[in-house]
């Protein structure tokens, strides 16, 4: 079902009356500069987004700015983090929109989305649970274990998102190549344009 929707998104939305008229997705994918600009902005906004998140996480771990209250760092930095996040999500969705089927069957993209979800859940738990009693530890040089745990999950999950994001461009596990069975299954290669070739089939 998701794949059918992505096929429609990639081939029908914005398509002109002519047989060879491109859809908006195909038009975006065929632009050199616009796509490059999106990719570049996606990478650059990473500095703003991940850089500011790590700053707050280091304070929560008691690794830096120990004499500055957590609220001061968090309140000053948060607007930049949110702006960076909105830039990342907007450019990310447009990058995805340009080649939805390629990314849908991409192992690294799937892993990235899983860790994006982990990072998002961690943000919610922190904002609505962990920092509820922040006044009690706002000036503590070493915040309580729950705050440090939240910061650790944050740093590890964003490192995973960034690493898997970087791996997306590499075709190590591309559908249509001889792959371990688990990789074909994890990427649903069997229903992809390139199909699935199991390594075990090759060695028989
Ligand atoms: C907010 C958190 C996000 C972070 C930290 C992040 C990080 C990254 C990084 C580091 C790359 C590699 C860029 C490069 O060096 O080539 C990347 C690529 C990519 N990201 Fe994101 N991303 C985020 C959100 C998203 C979202 C929400 C989407 C779409 C649903 C997305 C779609 C993509 C795509 C399609 C690529 C691959 C571009 C290519 O073909 O190389 N990203 N991301």
């Amino acid at each position: 079902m998701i794949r059918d929707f992505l096929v429609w998104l990639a081939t029908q939305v914005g398509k002109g009356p002519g047989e060879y008229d491109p859809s908006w997705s195909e038009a975006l994918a065929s632009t050199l500069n616009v796509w490059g600009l999106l990719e570049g902005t996606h990478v650059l906004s990473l500095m703003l987004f991940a850089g500011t998140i790590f700053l707050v996480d280091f304070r929560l771990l008691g690794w830096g700015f120990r004499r500055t209250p957590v609220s001061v760092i968090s309140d000053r930095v948060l607007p930049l983090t949110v702006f960076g996040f909105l830039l990342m999500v907007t450019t990310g969705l447009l990058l995805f929109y340009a080649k939805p089927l390629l990314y849908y069957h991409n192992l690294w993209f799937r892993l990235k989305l899983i860790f994006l979800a982990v990072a998002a859940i961690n943000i919610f738990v922190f904002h609505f649970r962990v920092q509820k009693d922040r006044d009690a530890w706002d000036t503590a040089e070493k915040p309580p274990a729950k705050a440090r745990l939240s910061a650790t999950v944050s740093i590890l999950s964003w490192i995973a998102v960034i690493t898997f994001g970087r791996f997306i461009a590499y075709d190590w596990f591309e559908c249509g190549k001889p792959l371990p069975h688990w990789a074909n299954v994890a990427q649903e290669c069997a229903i992809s344009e390139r199909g699935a070739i199991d390594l075990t089939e090759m060695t028989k």
Side-chain angles (χ1 to χ4, degrees):
M1 196 179 74
I2 298 174
R3 195 173 187 283
D4 295 338
F5 169 72
L6 295 178
V7 170
W8 171 77
L9 198 67
T11 59
Q12 299 308 318
V13 178
K15 186 173 172 43
E19 190 186 345
Y20 300 106
D21 287 353
S23 69
W24 289 337
S25 168
E26 289 156 346
L28 180 57
S30 63
T31 59
L32 187 63
N33 299 327
V34 177
W35 200 88
L37 204 65
L38 283 174
E39 168 87 345
T41 311
H42 199 61
V43 175
L44 284 177
S45 44
L46 186 64
M47 289 184 289
L48 189 60
F49 172 68
T52 52
I53 277 209
F54 288 176
L55 213 65
V56 176
D57 289 338
F58 289 164
R59 173 64 187 90
L60 288 170
L61 287 166
W63 289 0
F65 314 101
R66 294 158 68 96
R67 293 206 191 85
T68 311
V70 173
S71 58
V72 171
I73 299 214
S74 172
D75 295 352
R76 296 249 175 95
V77 157
L78 199 60
L80 295 173
T81 310
V82 172
F83 177 64
F85 183 73
L86 292 174
L87 260 184
M88 295 228 73
V89 171
T90 310
T91 52
L93 287 171
L94 287 169
L95 287 170
F96 178 79
Y97 177 58
K99 307 171 206 170
L101 295 166
L102 180 85
Y103 298 125
Y104 178 73
H105 293 289
N106 183 294
L107 179 69
W108 307 116
F109 183 76
R110 291 183 173 214
L111 284 170
K112 178 181 170 183
L113 289 188
I114 291 171
F115 283 94
L116 259 176
V118 172
I121 293 165
N122 186 50
I123 288 173
F124 275 99
V125 170
F126 179 77
H127 280 279
F128 297 106
R129 300 288 297 276
V130 174
Q131 73 165 8
K132 267 218 155 132
D133 64 341
R134 185 177 66 181
D135 293 346
W137 44 268
D138 193 29
T139 55
E141 291 205 357
K142 198 170 181 181
K146 61 180 182 176
R148 285 180 276 132
L149 176 65
S150 197
T152 307
V153 173
S154 169
I155 291 174
L156 293 178
S157 49
W158 287 119
I159 289 175
V161 168
I162 294 164
T163 308
F164 294 138
R166 182 78 280 262
F167 284 175
I168 293 172
Y170 297 100
D171 60 1
W172 303 318
F173 287 102
E174 201 170 42
C175 290
K177 284 182 171 181
L179 296 173
H181 183 64
W182 66 263
N184 278 320
V185 173
Q187 303 179 118
E188 293 179 83
C189 288
I191 61 168
S192 77
E193 269 160 28
R194 295 170 185 234
I197 305 173
D198 272 6
L199 259 179
T200 47
E201 297 300 319
M202 305 288 291
T203 51
K204 274 187 189 157

